[in-house]
Structures are given as C-alpha cells and as structure tokens.
Amino acid sequence: MPGTPDLALRERRPDDLPTFWRWMHAEPDPEWKRWDAPYFHAGQPPREPLAFEAYREQTLVRPVSPDLRVIALDGVCIGQVSRAEEAPAGGGWWDLGILIFDPGHWGGGLGTRALDLWAAATLAETDAHVLTLTTWGGNERMIRAAARVGFHECARIPQARAWAGQRWDSVKLARLRG
C-alpha cells in the first residue's frame, strides 16, 4: 500500500545502539517505563548513568540473541520484541514481549503490526504450540493490539499489581498455533 511505512523485525546492528542507549540509559524517565510493567521499575533506585561508549562495549561483546529483534520503521530502530521459552524447555510455550520506545510511534498500529510479525516469526522458528504475553489492566493499548492479532485473554489476576497508588489486574493473553 503506497504511503505505508515499512515495518520489519531484524537483528540488532551496531548503528541501532545509540537508539537503545538513549531510551535505556540517557532518558531520565522515559514514558515507555510507565507502560512496560511499571510496577517492576517503581521503587528501584535510579541507575547510575552509563556513558554511550561503555554501553556500546558491553553490548557488542554479548552475542545477538535469536530471541530478540529490533523493530525497524523504514530501516530505523524504534523498539524491540523479545521472547522466552517457558519451562520446561521443549514444552511448546513461548512468552512474547514488545517495546516501542518513543510515544510518537504509539497509537498508529505499529505495535499491532510488530506483534503480528513476531508471533508469526516465533511460530515459524520454534516448536511453539502456545504464545502468551502478560500485561496489566491499565495497558489497554497492549490488550487491544494482542486481541487484533488473535490473542485471547486466558487469565486475569485481580489487583495483583500496585502502581501509581492503585491496584491493577495482571492480564495474560494467549494464542494457539493453527
């Protein structure tokens, strides 16, 4: 479709590191942390600033994981997707994650498209029988995006998470192969 930005998932490249460093280390209070399991970030002491060169050196010595991919919009890194196999290994259960850093990229369907691509890639590259993702009741955008690509709510733990002076449900969504 003309005018539609090209969204792709790809391996991390060295030229992506400034984006990752900015959103993980340089931004003092990035908006994404208020949506990506914010209850885990709350109450943690602020991290010591990490200079870009130190971050770059630490990152480049680690092998690129097949369970992480960059979300690239017209070739430029805007976030990442992740996955982890739930124990026991070989059981066919993979949990997915998605993170788009800049709020300027939220609300236009990019997260939905990235999640759909990641679910398809995970089904193609693994023995997955079931894909899950876990969020919290306040992250309605994530719940809607997951529903759009075939995930269904399978668990809701009432008031399991404390965040911003409120109790929120923990929400697990699942999608089966086939």
Side-chain angles (χ1 to χ4, degrees):
M1 166 170 15
T4 301
D6 179 45
L7 188 85
L9 304 180
R10 60 169 171 75
E11 284 190 0
R12 186 195 72 226
R13 302 187 308 226
D15 64 334
D16 298 323
L17 296 184
T19 299
F20 278 102
W21 174 77
R22 172 188 172 195
W23 291 104
M24 301 289 193
H25 298 283
E27 293 284 331
D29 186 25
E31 180 72 15
W32 68 263
K33 282 190 174 184
R34 294 188 191 109
W35 299 99
D36 181 46
Y39 32 84
F40 289 132
H41 307 292
Q44 290 182 345
R47 292 194 322 202
E48 288 295 315
L50 183 63
F52 175 72
E53 279 307 314
Y55 168 76
R56 184 177 185 284
E57 287 175 25
Q58 290 174 11
T59 303
L60 291 177
V61 297
R62 291 190 308 260
V64 175
S65 170
D67 297 326
L68 293 172
R69 303 273 166 79
V70 164
I71 303 170
L73 182 62
D74 291 330
V76 177
C77 172
I78 64 165
Q80 76 175 1
V81 290
S82 60
R83 64 183 173 212
E85 186 176 18
E86 294 286 343
W93 177 5
W94 287 80
D95 196 60
L96 307 183
I98 177 170
L99 174 58
I100 295 179
F101 299 123
D102 187 341
H105 293 300
W106 299 353
L110 297 174
T112 301
R113 288 172 53 198
L115 180 58
D116 196 31
L117 290 170
W118 193 225
T122 301
L123 290 169
E125 296 167 8
T126 71
D127 66 346
H129 174 73
V130 61
L131 305 176
T132 59
L133 60 87
T134 305
T135 190
W136 57 291
N139 195 345
E140 295 173 3
R141 288 188 309 263
M142 184 73 252
I143 294 168
R144 284 193 308 269
R148 284 188 200 104
V149 298
F151 284 77
H152 301 279
E153 188 174 316
C154 62
R156 184 175 284 259
I157 296 81
Q159 301 181 20
R161 302 295 187 194
W163 163 242
Q166 283 187 256
R167 301 296 306 186
W168 299 92
D169 295 352
S170 177
V171 181
K172 186 168 287 282
L173 300 115
R175 174 177 159 179
L176 293 174
R177 181 183 288 273

